[in-house]
Amino acid sequence: MFRNQYDTDVTTWSPAGRLFQVEYAMEAVKQGSAAVGLRSRTHVVLATVNKAASDLSSHQRKVFKIDDHVGVAIAGLTADGRVLSRYLRNECINHSFVYEAPLPVGRLVVRLADKAQVCTQRSWKRPYGVGLLVAGLDELGAHLYYNCPSGNYFEYQAFAIGSRSQAAKTYLERRFEAFDKYSAEELIKDALFAIKETLQGEKLTSSICTVAIVGIGEPFHIISEQAVQEMVDALETREEATAEQSGGDMQDESGNPDAAAPMEEI
Amino acid sequence: MGSRFNPYDNNGGTCVAIAGVDYCVVAADTRMSTGYSILTRDYSKICQLADKSVLASSGFQADVKALQKNLSAKHLIYQHQHNKQMSCPAMAQLLSNTLYYKRFFPYYAFNVLGGLDSEGKGCVFTYDAVGSYERVGYSTQGTGSTLIIPVLDNQLKSPSPLLLPAKDAVTPLSEGEAVDLVKDVFASATERDIYTGDQVEIVIINASGIKREYVQLRRD
């Protein structure tokens, strides 16, 4: 995107009918590290790439449990993501308190979208710079939503956000039609494969990714690093056995703009 | 003339808790009354707030229910923020603060909180309606409390604060002996307190988790 006029504040339309500040906020999501989500009829899996800023630091949390039946994975400004997670948790707790029942995920994402929309129509605010993949359950089953800074939200069978997410999306587009009938283990495997696609040749280990799952009869939880590593190892042996090229076709190394913009998370 | 609206009612009942070396027993009868009538014989006054904290409350059960829900929600927030369960002493402070928050329109709830502290020792905290609390080796609240507390003072001897200071923080009794004592004191209270009876729900917290037991009482 190039320098635009009419982009100084969020309450100024461009002559072409665009709100540039909102679009810039969506750019922030694209700069964050990848997150993917996949859904079957009964389960939803979220997986994220967690890169630490340096060997000295810990990596940022990108997956948050919101309630027993809902979790989110974020990409973009993690501080915004953390604050929104707190909001989502509060909404779930308040609903449960009054109705003694879990807040259906479809209602939760609408509230989140409305909150994001407010920031696109106030001159003293800025849009949230974070995209959320919301995984959750309601009476009808499992759902995966994507909430973006614009205040829009969409439901998906599978989706990927963040940097190099296009590689993951291409992979998912090939496979998504089978997802509905997948078991939890198969979903997790495909999530790991999708994450692998975004790494472009870098080795996938459980120390650089986080995997979480929620399903009917299975409360939202983050899968332990050990269990993830076992699945990653199983993937690799399967890969070698079938001699199938499941690695990305992109040859270029990651001499990539990790040189960050100031507010950016890794 | 005529009576003003009274926001409170007393649903009766009695709660007891006894702390041991590595266990805690929390018990309450299951009778819910209003005036001289019985509303139900099968109502639990006990609520598990965290994996090592159990609250038993007698008094006005609508306030008790609201208090339990309030504390559960606060505990959920704590878990989100700290990634762990609240310890029993932490829950004790939270309960005290929550009660005092409504100092000028109190929860009509007489609470006994029991569980295991961070070292795995039994702990019991006893409260008044506005949050004044103390860690003790045993306690009782409710309509039958005056009938039960002298018996506990006598039978549990060493943690009794009547020998000033208490010789032990917790009772040296075994878990089985404590449970038997609880059954005996409830049977006694049931005889003379009209609001106590039907069943006693006994909850035992120890290192292996939470166990529940029910014993029938006189239904008159």
Side-chain angles (χ1 to χ4, degrees):
Chain A
M1 226 183 263
F2 306 111
R3 192 76 180 78
N4 295 303
Q5 286 183 299
Y6 312 105
D7 69 353
T8 307
D9 61 53
V10 75
T11 50
T12 303
W13 288 100
S14 82
R18 294 160 72 170
L19 288 170
F20 283 118
Q21 281 295 314
V22 176
E23 294 183 25
Y24 296 165
M26 315 231 272
E27 272 305 301
V29 177
K30 293 181 198 159
Q31 300 295 335
S33 57
V36 314
L38 298 73
R39 154 172 88 79
S40 76
R41 211 184 42 80
T42 55
H43 287 77
V44 194
V45 171
L46 295 172
T48 63
V49 171
N50 288 60
K51 295 268 189 60
S54 77
D55 289 331
L56 294 170
S57 75
S58 64
H59 55 68
Q60 296 206 311
R61 281 187 57 200
K62 288 165 52 81
V63 180
F64 298 91
K65 174 170 175 170
I66 302 300
D67 202 345
D68 284 338
H69 67 299
V70 180
V72 302
I74 64 171
L77 267 52
T78 37
D80 284 5
R82 201 179 57 236
V83 155
L84 288 177
S85 297
R86 195 161 52 229
Y87 168 75
L88 294 173
R89 285 169 178 167
N90 258 339
E91 292 295 288
C92 286
I93 288 174
N94 290 336
H95 182 95
S96 295
F97 188 96
V98 173
Y99 298 101
E100 293 274 338
L103 176 58
V105 64
R107 308 247 194 97
L108 181 61
V109 294
V110 182
R111 295 195 201 179
L112 179 60
D114 288 346
K115 191 172 164 69
Q117 190 281 337
V118 168
C119 298
T120 68
Q121 212 174 7
R122 304 281 186 270
S123 60
W124 61 91
K125 286 183 184 255
R126 63 156 177 83
Y128 288 104
V130 65
L132 293 94
L133 286 171
V134 183
L137 306 173
D138 65 17
E139 323 85 56
L140 296 173
H143 299 270
L144 172 70
Y145 294 91
Y146 171 54
N147 279 69
C148 59
S150 60
N152 276 329
Y153 69 97
F154 309 92
E155 186 171 358
Y156 287 96
Q157 183 85 47
F159 200 52
I161 56 177
S163 70
R164 295 196 284 265
S165 58
Q166 190 49 56
K169 273 190 260 190
T170 313
Y171 174 82
L172 293 169
E173 274 166 25
R174 288 204 308 265
R175 318 259 310 195
F176 77 94
E177 271 151 341
F179 285 171
D180 231 21
K181 303 226 171 40
Y182 267 23
S183 71
E185 292 77 25
E186 291 168 314
L187 262 190
I188 297 172
K189 283 205 182 92
D190 261 51
L192 287 170
F193 262 119
I195 284 287
K196 236 174 121 134
E197 297 289 307
T198 69
L199 293 172
Q200 287 191 201
E202 197 186 323
K203 188 165 164 49
L204 173 66
T205 67
S206 58
S207 57
I208 59 164
C209 73
T210 304
V211 183
I213 185 167
V214 63
I216 297 180
E218 188 169 353
F220 183 89
H221 64 284
I222 295 177
I223 300 175
S224 74
E225 202 174 311
Q226 209 188 358
V228 173
Q229 188 57 49
E230 284 168 20
M231 287 185 242
V232 167
D233 296 336
L235 280 187
E236 279 169 6
T237 46
R238 204 178 74 180
E239 238 179 44
E240 287 157 14
T242 58
E244 183 191 303
Q245 271 203 18
S246 57
D249 293 326
M250 296 105 216
Q251 235 69 336
D252 63 310
E253 322 72 55
S254 32
N256 207 35
D258 283 334
M263 306 183 281
E264 189 179 295
E265 55 81 68
I266 307 305
Chain B
M1 239 141 325
S3 47
R4 217 164 139 262
F5 171 65
N6 178 212
Y8 296 113
D9 188 16
N10 191 347
N11 300 121
T14 310
C15 304
V16 169
I18 300 176
V21 171
D22 60 353
Y23 68 88
C24 186
V25 178
V26 178
D29 71 320
T30 62
R31 175 176 287 180
M32 188 173 171
S33 325
T34 180
Y36 287 120
S37 305
I38 293 180
L39 289 172
T40 178
R41 299 189 190 276
D42 196 15
Y43 190 83
S44 175
K45 300 188 197 17
I46 300 184
C47 176
Q48 185 182 356
L49 297 174
D51 66 355
K52 302 256 184 331
S53 302
V54 172
L55 177 67
S57 321
S58 72
F60 180 38
Q61 289 302 319
D63 275 359
V64 167
K65 180 65 111 185
L67 178 63
Q68 290 169 351
K69 288 178 72 159
N70 206 321
L71 290 171
S72 290
K74 288 184 162 127
H75 185 227
L76 191 50
I77 293 172
Y78 181 96
Q79 286 179 280
H80 279 142
Q81 290 176 343
H82 298 91
N83 233 11
K84 61 171 186 159
Q85 299 263 329
M86 268 178 106
S87 66
C88 198
M91 185 62 79
Q93 186 65 53
L94 179 65
L95 173 53
S96 171
N97 293 150
T98 306
L99 291 169
Y100 197 81
Y101 195 74
K102 276 172 58 75
R103 171 68 178 79
F104 299 111
F105 184 11
Y107 287 108
Y108 194 100
F110 299 100
N111 303 294
V112 179
L113 180 72
L116 300 178
D117 65 14
S118 323
E119 295 158 15
K121 264 174 84 174
C123 59
V124 170
F125 299 89
T126 189
Y127 294 78
D128 72 1
V130 286
S132 166
Y133 81 110
E134 189 190 357
R135 180 170 178 174
V136 288
Y138 61 94
S139 179
T140 170
Q141 295 277 355
T143 49
S145 64
T146 47
L147 299 166
I148 293 178
I149 194 71
V151 178
L152 293 181
D153 287 334
N154 177 262
Q155 291 296 307
L156 295 175
K157 296 194 196 10
S158 49
S160 168
L162 297 175
L163 348 149
L164 209 60
K167 187 160 153 296
D168 291 315
V170 297
T171 179
L173 258 51
S174 75
E175 187 183 302
E177 288 171 327
V179 171
D180 285 340
L181 179 58
V182 163
K183 292 177 186 173
D184 283 343
V185 296
F186 265 96
S188 305
T190 302
E191 290 295 309
R192 292 286 180 168
D193 177 22
I194 59 173
Y195 298 107
T196 301
D198 295 331
Q199 259 193 331
V200 55
E201 180 183 4
I202 304 177
V203 174
I204 305 146
I205 307 123
N206 55 27
S208 28
I210 309 249
K211 259 189 348 247
R212 207 166 286 253
E213 216 185 300
Y214 295 90
V215 175
Q216 294 296 318
L217 295 171
R218 283 187 66 166
R219 292 155 67 88
D220 65 354

